[in-house]
Amino acid sequence: MPKKFAIFGNPVEHSLSPKMHNCAFIELGFDGIYKQILLEDGVKLKDTFLKEDLTGANITVPHKERAYEVSDILDPFAKKVGAVNTLVLKDNKLYGYNTDAPGFLKSIEKFENIKTILILGAGGTVSSTSDILKESGYSVTILNRSKERLQQFIKSGFECYSWEEFEPKEYDLIVNMTSAGLSDNNLPAPKDILDKTLSTTKAAIDIIYGKETPFLKLAKEYNLPNFDGKEMLIQQGVLAFDYFTEHKYDLKEVEKIMREALN
Ligand code: NDP
């Protein structure tokens, strides 16, 4: 019997995770199968996981906090950020991990000489990635549309600005972590702020994938090295695969297969 895996989310039909994981299972000869499960009511997460007889799962919006709550044993990093995107069942216990943030960290290794980062946005993904970036030695500044969401980051000691307060400086990397551009054609900050920061930066990333966002388009106009959210998707997927298959495979090989699956 193949081991079963799934991604839970709402919506979930756009997810590329089944493609990435199924290709890796086939290529590496692992007896597994991965599907998507549309979960409307997060309360049913654990029951559905058990009823579907899953060995592991990825969790996407809006159920990452719920996945955190249903984990019997939390990886220390997932515990710190309060969000779980990978669940694994071992000895009747649900282990919860967060591979989003380490995945993002891995993705920016592509760029050299990055020390200062300007993050656009202050939502869930910024909560999970900002600490790991700081701990890894990056200097992180957070710029968000509203002041409300900045409060938790101010408490944690980050340099934070709302649009009105911001005075553009030089940053090595600018990252769009807002949902602006996902299902609309909005820029993640006023154009004059973006023009000033993009004209002096070394690189840009948008963590949205599947389309060229207005932000990435603008970054390209400034001839900046750039990539979209596929890179983070691949890296978080590789780390999740490593937990699913109990660290059996060479991760460089897994990454190669997942990258090919998306191309
Ligand atoms: P949240 O809903 O938690 O936060 C949304 C953030 O976007 C807030 O800071 C909000 O600002 C800001 N925002 C929304 N609309 C606009 C706008 N029109 N202009 C400026 N700012 C705006 O989102 P998540 O952190 O969960 O996700 C953010 C993005 O990251 C999504 O697009 C998601 O698809 C993507 N993502 C990609 C991943 C990958 O693997 N590539 C993994 C995880 C997420 P305000 O406080 O003012 O409302």
Side-chain angles (χ1 to χ4, degrees):
M1 277 284 275
K3 288 192 172 165
K4 296 179 190 162
F5 301 87
I7 177 155
F8 288 93
N10 182 20
V12 78
E13 64 281 358
H14 67 286
S15 173
L16 297 171
S17 293
K19 204 176 194 180
M20 294 197 307
H21 286 273
N22 282 322
C23 280
F25 290 154
I26 292 166
E27 296 268 327
L28 296 166
F30 181 90
D31 194 12
I33 183 148
Y34 189 115
K35 66 175 183 177
Q36 44 181 245
I37 297 178
L38 172 69
L39 187 73
E40 278 165 3
D41 183 0
V43 172
K44 295 184 180 148
L45 176 62
K46 188 172 180 180
D47 278 355
T48 313
F49 185 106
L50 297 174
K51 221 187 281 166
E52 292 274 346
D53 192 26
L54 300 177
T55 297
N58 287 123
I59 320 297
T60 187
V61 178
H63 303 307
K64 291 183 192 181
E65 282 76 24
R66 187 74 205 162
Y68 172 91
E69 285 161 22
V70 302
S71 297
D72 299 307
I73 296 171
L74 281 165
D75 170 73
F77 180 67
K79 188 168 185 174
K80 192 171 169 197
V81 298
V84 161
N85 78 326
T86 303
L87 284 171
V88 179
L89 187 68
K90 266 186 281 184
D91 305 324
N92 288 322
K93 288 202 162 56
L94 275 179
Y95 285 71
Y97 306 94
N98 184 304
T99 70
D100 279 334
F104 179 73
L105 187 66
K106 184 91 191 17
S107 78
I108 65 173
E109 284 173 8
K110 276 192 144 195
F111 296 132
E112 283 166 12
N113 300 325
I114 300 295
K115 289 195 181 68
T116 55
I117 304 179
L118 177 66
I119 294 183
L120 309 174
T125 314
V126 183
S127 297
S128 68
T129 51
S130 49
D131 279 338
I132 203 169
L133 288 171
K134 190 157 90 175
E135 281 162 19
S136 305
Y138 294 101
S139 162
V140 176
T141 302
I142 298 171
L143 173 64
N144 194 51
R145 180 178 58 183
S146 74
K147 277 189 183 163
E148 291 72 33
R149 288 207 221 220
L150 288 173
Q151 296 316 313
Q152 59 155 316
F153 298 100
I154 292 170
K155 272 193 209 139
S156 306
F158 287 97
E159 194 174 331
C160 295
Y161 301 97
S162 63
W163 292 353
E164 308 84 70
E165 301 158 339
F166 186 65
E167 284 184 26
K169 283 189 267 182
E170 263 185 45
Y171 300 93
D172 297 332
L173 173 67
I174 304 178
V175 187
N176 178 25
M177 284 198 186
T178 75
S179 42
L182 180 66
S183 48
D184 54 45
N185 277 318
N186 292 327
L187 283 166
K191 176 94 171 25
D192 62 318
I193 290 183
L194 293 176
D195 281 330
K196 282 182 189 138
T197 47
L198 287 171
S199 63
T200 54
T201 192
K202 294 180 186 153
I205 298 174
D206 198 318
I207 67 161
I208 293 172
Y209 62 86
K211 68 179 277 197
E212 185 184 61
T213 60
F215 174 74
L216 217 53
K217 192 161 178 272
L218 188 60
K220 286 176 188 172
E221 286 170 20
Y222 281 94
N223 289 320
L224 291 169
N226 66 83
F227 57 79
D228 72 4
K230 238 198 244 173
E231 211 42 56
M232 179 179 177
L233 178 78
I234 293 170
Q235 299 303 342
Q236 64 76 30
V238 170
L239 297 174
F241 190 90
D242 194 37
Y243 287 122
F244 292 160
T245 56
E246 304 198 69
H247 318 292
K248 253 195 221 125
Y249 297 99
D250 173 22
L251 298 190
K252 284 251 174 314
E253 179 72 1
V254 178
E255 180 184 336
K256 189 167 162 268
I257 296 167
M258 288 188 165
R259 193 176 296 284
E260 278 166 11
L262 295 190
N263 288 330

